Amino acid sequence: MGMERLCTAMLNGQQGEGKAHCGDGVVEFRGDIRFRWQWKDLDSVSAVDGTLTLAKGPDAAVLNLGEAAEKWAHAILHPKSRIDKFGLKPSHTYRAVGEFDAEFAPELCGRAGPPTEGTVDVLFIRLHAPSDLQKLAEGRDAIHRNGMVWAVWAKGRKEFGENDVRAFGLENGLVDVKVAKFNDELSALKLVIPTALR
């Protein structure tokens, strides 16, 4: 999830090489030096001549990203909404199956109007356990041929997670194409019908 780049960085005057990552509200660097900062906690963000400069309290970091610096700065300063990340358009039909946070339904309705019955463009399915995976097979039949299913589950559970969702999808005519953060507690996987089967 997000953008990654091998680069050099400087943190409070100390330089190092490693991998930078920017996405889902976090910018981090792992290598000779390390930091992981939430976008919302940054005091300033700027991109000049291929360098991304970040300040958080007394700390300052500079990432040498080349042409990606401005893109990263824009992503941090103008984060996509949850609905933008899920690709829901005003013209789409959609439905959500299962329990979601209280803000989700108004976000969906605000973008694409009320939910619809029957075949839809976008289907959100909340999964709690392996026994819920059958909902994905049912979801495949509930979307248009070029539609998408977003499977949503709790993060950090060893007994049920992304690999289970991905494997079941492949066995049932759905291929995963994108991972996204749903919120601080939940992850989401976008599944579509493979082009050859549409």
Side-chain angles (χ1 to χ4, degrees), residues 160-193:
F160 181 65
E162 182 178 331
N163 291 336
D164 302 297
V165 176
R166 179 177 288 114
F168 186 90
L170 285 173
E171 292 170 3
N172 290 274
L174 290 168
V175 62
D176 63 289
V177 294
K178 182 179 180 181
V179 178
K181 175 182 176 181
F182 188 86
N183 59 27
D184 289 341
E185 292 79 35
L186 304 175
S187 287
L189 188 67
K190 178 181 176 182
L191 302 153
V192 298
I193 298 171

Side-chain angles (χ1 to χ4, degrees), residues 2-193:
M3 302 170 284
E4 291 188 337
R5 179 69 63 103
L6 293 173
C7 66
T8 59
M10 187 173 291
L11 176 64
N12 297 331
Q14 182 180 357
Q15 189 166 333
E17 296 183 356
K19 180 182 285 187
H21 172 84
C22 181
D24 286 332
V26 172
V27 60
E28 64 182 316
F29 186 83
R30 294 183 178 200
D32 301 329
I33 56 176
R34 287 177 173 247
F35 65 87
R36 178 181 169 86
W37 294 344
Q38 298 284 331
W39 294 353
K40 61 183 177 59
D41 296 332
L42 296 174
D43 297 314
S44 67
V45 178
S46 63
V48 178
D49 296 331
T51 63
L52 177 67
T53 303
L54 311 168
K56 177 178 174 274
D59 299 313
V62 178
L63 300 173
N64 297 303
L65 299 172
E67 61 186 23
E70 289 194 14
K71 183 177 181 181
W72 286 35
H74 186 271
I76 295 169
L77 293 170
H78 308 282
K80 287 184 177 181
S81 71
R82 178 163 59 175
I83 299 304
D84 288 333
K85 286 193 293 184
F86 294 146
L88 184 67
K89 298 177 181 177
S91 60
H92 279 158
T93 55
Y94 74 89
R95 187 165 61 255
V97 177
E99 296 180 2
F100 293 90
D101 59 73
E103 294 82 16
F104 192 49
E107 290 172 14
L108 293 171
C109 192
R111 174 62 57 88
T116 56
E117 296 299 323
T119 308
V120 296
D121 298 302
V122 187
L123 182 65
F124 298 92
I125 302 176
R126 178 72 165 91
L127 305 173
H128 296 276
S131 58
D132 289 336
L133 287 169
Q134 185 58 35
K135 294 177 184 176
L136 293 181
E138 297 165 5
R140 183 188 187 279
D141 296 330
I143 59 170
H144 295 298
R145 287 295 177 192
N146 60 347
M148 63 186 98
V149 174
W150 280 100
V152 182
W153 69 94
K155 295 179 182 178
R157 292 175 52 198
K158 293 180 180 178
E159 73 277 11
F160 181 65
E162 182 178 331
N163 291 336
D164 302 297
V165 176
R166 179 177 288 114
F168 186 90
L170 285 173
E171 292 170 3
N172 290 274
L174 290 168
V175 62
D176 63 289
V177 294
K178 182 179 180 181
V179 178
K181 175 182 176 181
F182 188 86
N183 59 27
D184 289 341
E185 292 79 35
L186 304 175
S187 287
L189 188 67
K190 178 181 176 182
L191 302 153
V192 298
I193 298 171

